[in-house]
Amino acid sequence: MGGESPSKISMSACPKFLESKVTFLPLLETLFGLSLCLIVAFQVAWFASLPPLALPGLSGVSFVDLSNYGQLALSFLGAATAFYLYLSPPRRNLFLLTGFASGLWFLSNCYWYLYVKIFGTGLNYPCTADVGFLGVFLLLATAAQLTFAERKLPVFVAPAIFGAGIGGSLLAALVHFTGQTIINVLYCALISLLLLQVVKSYARPYRVFFAGVVCYCVTMFAYLLRETYFPGEPVFTVVGQLAMVTFCLLALGLIKYYQEGKAC
Amino acid sequence: MLIELIVSIVIGVTIPKLYMLLFLRKHQRTMMYYMFWGFFSAIVVYSVYEILGGFMDVSYREVTVAPLLEEFVKAFPLIAMFIVTGRRFEKHVLPYALASGIGFSILGNYLATVNGNLTQVHQIAYVLLQAGGTSLMQGCCTALIGYGIFLLRDVEQKALPALLLGLYSVAVLLHSLYNLLVYNSETGKYFGILISFCLLVALLLLYYQDRLPRLRDLGSELLAD
């Protein structure tokens, strides 16, 4: 597939549980697929009955807890799935890098959520958690670049994407020069980079994986908008659900890629 | 002045170890060099803290700035050698990185002992926490970067920048998590120390994984006898 060659990391023999004919993959597919449907259904219901919150008996605080538990669980499971697939030969960079990305996001969100629980208030944006969130962009972009063949794009595409992303954020930073608007430029640059990589590498058979990558870009764009311009705005609670959808799509995409590889 | 105190401690700790170097073999000597780097990195880091002291409060520094700066400075020689010279490390890089982190934390422990205005009992308890928990975490976070660099030796060149940044981010986040738990929450303290010990066990298993089947066989032989 594309320009990707199997990773040559030499480790000890493949663990026995991976050699077993009983595979966890259908179970994982069902789990992620079901989670995806539930999250989408919940979010549609939530939007439909704005305000008040769709689920009776849930206070705003409980919603934050529920959303973060879901994000932590799905990002952890996503990382575990990716590393599980990576350990089965031939070892693909896509699984290693995506697993790393999911694990990194899991750690960042752990930190973010623990801060809220300990101090009772959100982190100042930007913060240490953003190091992890930003790292995910590079890992996913590298994963796509190494795995899928790149198409030649018209000359104007890259400048258009970067121009829209960086230009807009730079303008906002010049109008209102703060630490937040500066870090937004970095976020927008990385979002543009990842979107460009998606455009270059898109392969229809793996559209679920690419949908997950695009969903991550949308999630982090909504996150930076919420932190900078709309703190406390109820509609931006969708960030949590978008994050969960991201990891479901990424995991499902990886499983499909693995199954196609096995079929070959 | 804090910097004079740190430099004095570094000199006091380093010179006796220089005499030891004469009797050490190659790998042991290399580990000592990394420990010296750990001592030196403490000078760099605490100098920066002195400069920043007036601009930010201690809590923000502990949770946000310290992990970013400390993990970068401690792992700097490894990352620099990996990127600039293209050197590919064997598994021994894990204890080298651990030595760098431990060296840094030894300085931190000295400072905590000297600077703290605590009663005798509280002093001992505080230093036990520092030495048993914080030092371990400092060493393990750097060791994690080291082991990651070992795993990357056969990975495609194009993937290296992203993976190196990812490794650094993981170390920073674990360090931040520890500081957040230990310095800001009573119950969180125990979770923080637990995380450090889990990290130690994981690193030990990774480092000695090739010996595990032999240990299992040895166990079977002993039982058979």
Side-chain angles (χ1 to χ4, degrees):
Chain A
M1 317 239 157
E4 196 253 345
S5 59
S7 168
K8 296 188 280 296
I9 292 179
S10 53
M11 293 169 73
S12 50
C14 182
K16 285 209 181 306
F17 74 89
L18 288 170
E19 295 168 16
S20 165
K21 289 197 172 60
V22 176
T23 176
F24 293 111
L25 289 182
L27 178 67
L28 288 168
E29 257 187 304
T30 310
L31 180 68
F32 284 113
L34 205 61
S35 304
L36 190 60
C37 294
L38 282 171
I39 294 160
V40 170
F42 169 74
Q43 195 58 57
V44 166
W46 193 86
F47 276 131
S49 61
L50 252 181
L53 194 60
L55 295 175
L58 270 188
S59 70
V61 173
S62 295
F63 176 81
V64 169
D65 290 340
L66 202 64
S67 176
N68 277 288
Y69 291 148
Q71 291 167 56
L72 290 172
L74 286 170
S75 55
F76 182 79
L77 267 173
T81 304
F83 287 127
Y84 169 67
L85 294 172
Y86 178 71
L87 286 176
S88 180
R91 297 194 169 113
R92 302 283 186 194
N93 282 326
L94 181 68
F95 303 137
L96 174 67
L97 290 161
T98 310
F100 212 146
S102 301
L104 190 58
W105 200 93
F106 167 77
L107 271 178
S108 302
N109 204 38
C110 265
Y111 173 79
W112 193 95
Y113 182 53
L114 270 170
Y115 190 100
V116 170
K117 294 303 272 184
I118 289 171
F119 290 104
T121 176
L123 277 164
N124 287 325
Y125 169 76
C127 61
T128 319
D130 292 292
V131 174
F133 296 146
L134 289 168
V136 173
F137 284 105
L138 284 178
L139 288 165
L140 290 178
T142 309
Q145 187 190 30
L146 292 180
T147 306
F148 305 102
E150 291 186 347
R151 56 172 62 78
K152 264 197 158 341
L153 296 175
V155 171
F156 66 85
V157 173
I161 293 176
F162 278 106
I166 300 174
S169 55
L170 259 177
L171 197 63
L174 286 170
V175 166
H176 194 211
F177 194 81
T178 61
Q180 293 181 338
T181 53
I182 298 296
I183 206 79
N184 287 348
V185 176
L186 184 57
Y187 262 110
C188 289
L190 289 172
I191 290 171
S192 307
L193 177 77
L194 191 52
L195 285 175
L196 182 65
Q197 193 58 53
V198 167
V199 171
K200 274 192 199 173
S201 308
Y202 179 74
R204 196 176 149 74
Y206 308 107
R207 54 191 176 277
V208 175
F209 175 78
F210 284 107
V213 174
V214 171
C215 195
Y216 184 70
C217 295
V218 172
T219 306
M220 298 319 290
F221 187 68
Y223 163 74
L224 71 90
L225 281 181
R226 182 187 73 185
E227 297 299 316
T228 313
Y229 302 111
F230 305 105
E233 187 65 41
V235 80
F236 280 94
T237 53
V238 75
V239 171
Q241 282 72 266
L242 281 172
M244 288 192 264
V245 166
T246 297
F247 293 108
C248 289
L249 290 172
L250 286 176
L252 288 168
L254 290 183
I255 292 170
K256 175 152 168 65
Y257 182 85
Y258 176 81
Q259 286 168 337
E260 299 238 331
K262 279 284 188 195
C264 292
Chain B
M1 275 277 290
L2 184 66
I3 300 305
E4 283 167 358
L5 177 64
I6 294 168
V7 172
S8 310
I9 295 172
V10 168
I11 292 170
V13 167
T14 308
I15 291 179
K17 286 186 160 55
L18 285 172
Y19 300 130
M20 269 174 62
L21 268 183
L22 301 168
F23 296 94
L24 297 178
R25 305 278 179 180
K26 188 186 169 200
H27 282 306
Q28 296 161 332
R29 210 179 300 146
T30 309
M31 203 181 305
M32 200 59 77
Y33 292 147
Y34 278 96
M35 190 172 274
F36 290 156
W37 173 260
F39 298 151
F40 175 73
S41 61
I43 298 176
V44 171
V45 166
Y46 284 100
S47 305
V48 172
Y49 290 162
E50 273 280 283
I51 296 164
L52 292 177
F55 299 106
M56 60 180 69
D57 63 44
V58 177
S59 176
Y60 179 78
R61 192 192 78 193
E62 288 292 335
V63 169
T64 304
V65 177
L68 286 164
L69 182 62
E70 288 174 14
E71 293 308 324
F72 177 75
V73 178
K74 284 187 300 179
F76 180 76
L78 283 171
I79 296 173
M81 272 196 280
F82 188 72
I83 295 172
V84 174
T85 68
R87 184 180 163 181
R88 296 297 178 256
F89 292 91
E90 292 304 314
K91 210 164 56 167
H92 301 296
V93 72
L94 191 158
Y96 296 163
L98 185 81
S100 177
I102 295 287
F104 178 89
S105 70
I106 287 173
L107 263 297
N109 293 345
Y110 274 119
L111 281 175
T113 314
V114 166
N115 273 348
N117 275 331
L118 302 167
T119 63
Q120 214 169 24
V121 173
H122 287 143
Q123 182 89 334
I124 293 171
Y126 183 71
V127 171
L128 266 173
L129 174 65
Q130 278 288 118
T134 307
S135 293
L136 181 59
M137 181 277 306
Q138 293 271 14
C140 287
C141 285
T142 321
L144 205 63
I145 297 178
Y147 191 73
I149 287 175
F150 158 68
L151 289 180
L152 294 182
R153 71 193 188 291
D154 289 328
V155 168
E156 229 170 298
Q157 200 75 11
K158 283 185 196 171
L160 290 180
L163 284 168
L164 278 173
L165 180 66
L167 277 175
Y168 168 71
S169 303
V170 168
V172 165
L173 285 163
L174 285 170
H175 190 153
S176 304
L177 266 169
Y178 179 88
N179 286 0
L180 185 65
L181 289 167
V182 166
Y183 296 117
N184 297 286
S185 166
E186 277 305 310
T187 40
K189 216 173 285 214
Y190 303 105
F191 284 108
I193 295 170
L194 184 65
I195 290 172
S196 303
F197 278 98
C198 289
L199 207 48
L200 175 68
V201 168
L203 287 168
L204 279 170
L205 286 171
L206 286 170
Y207 188 64
Y208 290 112
Q209 61 179 306
D210 51 341
R211 293 194 197 180
L212 289 176
R214 269 183 263 161
L215 286 172
R216 226 180 7 247
D217 293 339
L218 182 64
S220 309
E221 282 172 23
L222 289 170
L223 284 170
D225 289 346

